Amino acid sequence: MSVYQFNSAIVRAPAPSVVKGLRAEDHGDPSFPGIQAEHAAYVRALEAHGVAVEVLEPLEQYPDSIFVEDPALVFHEGAVLLNPGAPSRNGEAREIAPVLERNFPVVLAVTEGFVDGGDVLVTPAHVMIGLSARTTRQGAEALVTRLAELGRSGVIVATPADVLHFKSDCSLLDDATMLSTARLAASGVFSGFDVIPVPDGEEGAANALRVNDVVFVGSRFPKTIDTLSRRGYSVVPLETAEIAKIDAGLSCMSLRWRR
Ligand code: CIR
């Protein structure tokens, strides 16, 4: 079973406070109806491709809580509660803990250091953990230990400077192929993979999402869509212009696993 075969997902509906979500550079607040529309289309796309989606209640006190990928990591065999590195997001782990308890036979936790799920890339051989402004070495080492308890191998890698999350710059397209920005691929971290570089100027497209037989890609990135289509991938373009204003892409809005 490939690591991108999913039949279950958890998402969280956006609260009005999402327009105040964290961002590295301010290009103006996103629109709430715009984010709702992008989120709804994302949920529909998951469902259309064979994924049963549980939609959690919005959390007004946590503007970024729509990005459920960051406080947890999930697998068929169990879940890991993470420890988000942004102070305004740290409480999201406590909010999602009961949801994990309800869905997974085993729930482990990272309690030392900090880890955001956006820095965690699951590949067939290893779980890659990118050190970043959100993920500390202590947190990454704790996650490697938790992963070993689940029978998985974790490797700690670097995230390019000034990039929010490791997965802001890459996504797994199939068992052997990685979509990556040139800046991340240049680090050599994907040796052993066939790397498809995202075209210049479309760096934001690197956070795509393989789901079963399709790849979700931001519809703002025509060159990437063309490249992947020519390589034989079945691309589902999704609007991301509003969530991009708060530094988000397509992996961050769900936790996905094979139940
Ligand atoms: C944040 O800065 O935490 C949010 N505004 C964006 C989180 C995106 N998460 C992800 O890529 N996994």
Side-chain angles (χ1 to χ4, degrees), residues 37-49:
E38 290 176 4
H39 191 262
Y42 179 83
V43 170
R44 281 196 303 274
L46 286 170
E47 289 173 340
H49 295 284

Side-chain angles (χ1 to χ4, degrees), residues 32-215:
F32 182 51
I35 289 205
Q36 285 179 303
E38 290 176 4
H39 191 262
Y42 179 83
V43 170
R44 281 196 303 274
L46 286 170
E47 289 173 340
H49 295 284
V51 181
V53 182
E54 176 179 352
V55 183
L56 305 177
E57 290 297 310
L59 293 175
E60 179 67 15
Q61 67 274 39
Y62 294 108
D64 287 294
S65 57
I66 177 180
F67 306 121
V68 285
E69 178 177 71
D70 292 318
L73 181 62
V74 301
F75 302 99
H76 170 77
E77 60 271 28
V80 184
L81 193 62
L82 300 177
N83 204 16
S88 70
R89 301 200 60 190
N90 193 253
E92 291 176 32
R94 192 174 53 248
E95 296 287 344
I96 209 151
V99 181
L100 301 181
E101 295 289 350
R102 196 158 35 71
N103 279 283
F104 294 91
V106 180
V107 180
L108 305 176
V110 167
T111 49
E112 314 98 311
F114 296 99
V115 181
D116 269 18
D119 285 315
V120 182
L121 176 70
V122 180
T123 77
H126 304 288
V127 177
M128 304 177 89
I129 308 160
L131 300 177
S132 72
R134 300 282 179 89
T135 294
T136 61
R137 180 164 290 281
Q138 187 187 26
E141 286 173 355
L143 179 55
V144 170
T145 304
R146 298 293 98 78
L147 288 166
E149 292 167 35
L150 289 176
R152 300 224 170 211
S153 141
V155 292
I156 300 174
V157 294
T159 301
D162 301 324
V163 171
L164 173 61
H165 285 134
F166 186 70
K167 275 189 303 193
S168 304
D169 268 32
C170 62
S171 33
L172 185 77
L173 293 173
D174 59 41
D175 287 346
T177 313
M178 197 67 70
L179 179 67
S180 175
T181 59
R183 64 190 169 209
L184 176 55
S187 70
V189 71
F190 297 132
S191 64
F193 285 95
D194 180 14
V195 176
I196 299 180
V198 289
D200 279 350
E202 293 199 353
E203 283 68 21
N207 184 265
L209 182 64
R210 175 77 193 249
V211 176
N212 299 326
D213 295 335
V214 299
V215 184

Side-chain angles (χ1 to χ4, degrees), residues 216-239:
F216 296 175
V217 180
S219 57
R220 298 175 294 132
F221 305 114
K223 291 189 276 188
T224 306
I225 291 172
D226 185 54
T227 301
L228 297 185
S229 301
R230 284 171 194 273
R231 292 283 295 249
Y233 294 100
S234 179
V235 173
V236 174
L238 289 171
E239 293 284 338

